[in-house]
Amino acid sequence: MNILVTGGAGFIGSHTLIELYKAGHTAVVVDNLSNSNPVALQRVAEIIGVTEIPFYRVDIRDREGLERIFAEHKLDACIHFAGLKAVGESVEKPWEYYENNIGGTLTLVDVMRGHGCKNIIFSSSATVYGDPAEIPITEQCPKGQCTNPYGWTKSMLEQVLMDIQKADPQWNVVLLRYFNPVGAHPSGRIGENPNGIPNNLMPYITQVAVGKRQELGVFGNDYPTPDGTGVRDYIHVVDLAAAHVCALQAIGRKCGMGIYNIGTGKGYSVLDMVKAFVKVNGVEVPYSIKPRRAGDIATCYCNPSKAKAELGWEARYGIDDMVRDSWHWQRQNPEGY
């Protein structure tokens, strides 16, 4: 298939491009570069052994730009990563998040259907479960009250895509609910490269380890967890990328609507991750305990058995691989791209 990858220069998008090409697919990348770097695409091309990947610096809200791309390329499906994604920022800038994430996706889907491209894989999030009613989380777990506008954009867009597919069964929609992506490509050539202060745990750990930041702030050590720090389902980004290739195979089988948790099924605390990083890489990570953050929950990990049964996908990499590859990327690229 020839796949439109929105947000393809970003962390998850760039890793997914590698898995797509390895599986024999091709891609066209759309990215406005607001939180990504075109160098990532150059490095992806080197890794997969192509001269270049077709790339358009276009915002998904730009209808004319999208129309031009669909007119120039025969596209079979879209993997939709593009969107604003910082939880804290979404609380400060709710209008921007709703306008960008929801408005942009509505424009994208409208252009897709106008060109007869009715296959989409949407990067959703475990945030749609809110404070989950059950642990481990299954896909039958009811969606909860999201704790921030970012989470609500994911939850609302899931509903939009489900309604579109219900109204027009020609659509194939796969919603992948990601848990906590970490790690980097084993080559160390591409990885997580956040602008400014990292919002996620692992890039903060690696930036402390490489000397860019003085210490890690651990938000809360009084949760009802084994060591008091929050527990999450961390998944290697290469495993996450591979799930999209499996989802494309489901689309090829005319899946209609599919919803899948994409995680390892194992929960690790913040301090588990810090200790694993220190043990595997032999680098100290000083940290201090800070007050809890509003909206954070104690424990969140999934049951990924549905993805294994229906997509033939399961995570292959463990915590040691995650921390090793994260450090390999940061050490080779202390300033990012």
Side-chain angles (χ1 to χ4, degrees), residues 171-222:
W171 277 90
N172 293 296
V173 174
V174 180
L175 309 176
L176 298 183
R177 292 174 176 168
Y178 307 162
F179 280 70
N180 293 69
V182 297
H185 191 265
S187 66
R189 297 287 288 152
I190 61 170
E192 193 166 6
N193 184 45
N195 290 337
I197 299 171
N199 291 294
N200 297 329
L201 174 64
M202 189 52 67
Y204 214 111
I205 289 174
T206 60
Q207 288 190 13
V208 170
V210 85
K212 280 188 77 171
R213 304 198 180 275
Q214 189 172 356
E215 66 174 16
L216 170 71
V218 176
F219 297 104
N221 67 342
D222 57 350

Side-chain angles (χ1 to χ4, degrees), residues 276-283 320 323-328 331:
F277 187 93
V278 172
K279 176 174 73 79
V280 170
N281 298 312
V283 184
D320 287 0
V323 297
R324 181 186 303 109
D325 291 341
S326 295
W327 179 231
H328 186 43
R331 194 177 52 207

Side-chain angles (χ1 to χ4, degrees), residues 52-276:
E52 64 178 353
I53 298 166
F55 166 63
Y56 295 84
R57 186 172 184 174
V58 168
D59 192 293
I60 57 168
R61 295 168 293 181
D62 177 0
R63 180 180 293 271
E64 289 182 4
L66 292 176
E67 292 280 4
R68 214 164 40 244
I69 293 163
F70 274 87
E72 290 176 18
H73 298 273
K74 173 70 178 78
L75 295 163
D76 302 301
C78 174
I79 301 179
H80 180 30
F81 297 111
L84 300 174
K85 63 174 186 175
V87 168
E89 183 183 65
S90 78
V91 176
E92 298 165 11
K93 299 179 176 180
W95 185 88
E96 286 80 359
Y97 271 68
Y98 289 119
E99 193 268 342
N100 183 88
N101 293 6
I102 295 178
T105 302
L106 290 174
T107 300
L108 170 68
V109 168
D110 195 31
V111 174
M112 285 177 64
R113 68 178 180 174
H115 289 267
C117 180
K118 295 184 176 182
N119 300 308
I120 188 168
I121 299 168
F122 177 59
S123 62
S124 191
S125 165
T127 57
V128 302
Y129 293 112
D131 194 347
E134 61 186 27
I135 298 287
I137 301 167
T138 69
E139 291 82 356
Q140 281 67 50
C141 181
K143 288 167 69 171
Q145 288 290 311
C146 297
T147 55
N148 53 75
Y150 163 75
W152 278 119
T153 67
K154 294 296 187 185
S155 186
M156 292 174 180
L157 284 170
E158 281 197 358
Q159 190 63 52
V160 166
L161 292 169
M162 286 190 279
D163 289 344
I164 288 170
Q165 195 279 331
K166 186 177 180 181
D168 179 0
Q170 287 189 330
W171 277 90
N172 293 296
V173 174
V174 180
L175 309 176
L176 298 183
R177 292 174 176 168
Y178 307 162
F179 280 70
N180 293 69
V182 297
H185 191 265
S187 66
R189 297 287 288 152
I190 61 170
E192 193 166 6
N193 184 45
N195 290 337
I197 299 171
N199 291 294
N200 297 329
L201 174 64
M202 189 52 67
Y204 214 111
I205 289 174
T206 60
Q207 288 190 13
V208 170
V210 85
K212 280 188 77 171
R213 304 198 180 275
Q214 189 172 356
E215 66 174 16
L216 170 71
V218 176
F219 297 104
N221 67 342
D222 57 350
Y223 287 103
T225 62
D227 63 17
T229 64
V231 170
R232 297 292 181 269
D233 190 335
Y234 295 96
I235 177 170
H236 198 296
V237 66
V238 174
D239 277 333
L240 178 58
H244 297 79
V245 177
C246 295
L248 279 178
Q249 293 167 350
I251 279 177
R253 298 191 298 268
K254 300 295 181 190
C255 63
M257 167 62 63
I259 302 173
Y260 301 97
N261 289 332
I262 304 297
T264 65
K266 298 184 181 74
Y268 293 105
S269 74
V270 173
L271 292 183
D272 285 337
M273 297 300 282
V274 172
K275 289 170 183 174

Side-chain angles (χ1 to χ4, degrees), residues 21 26-29 41-46 48-55:
Y21 277 82
T26 54
V28 175
V29 173
L41 296 177
Q42 298 168 17
R43 295 188 181 182
V44 167
E46 292 168 15
I48 62 179
V50 299
T51 306
E52 64 178 353
I53 298 166
F55 166 63

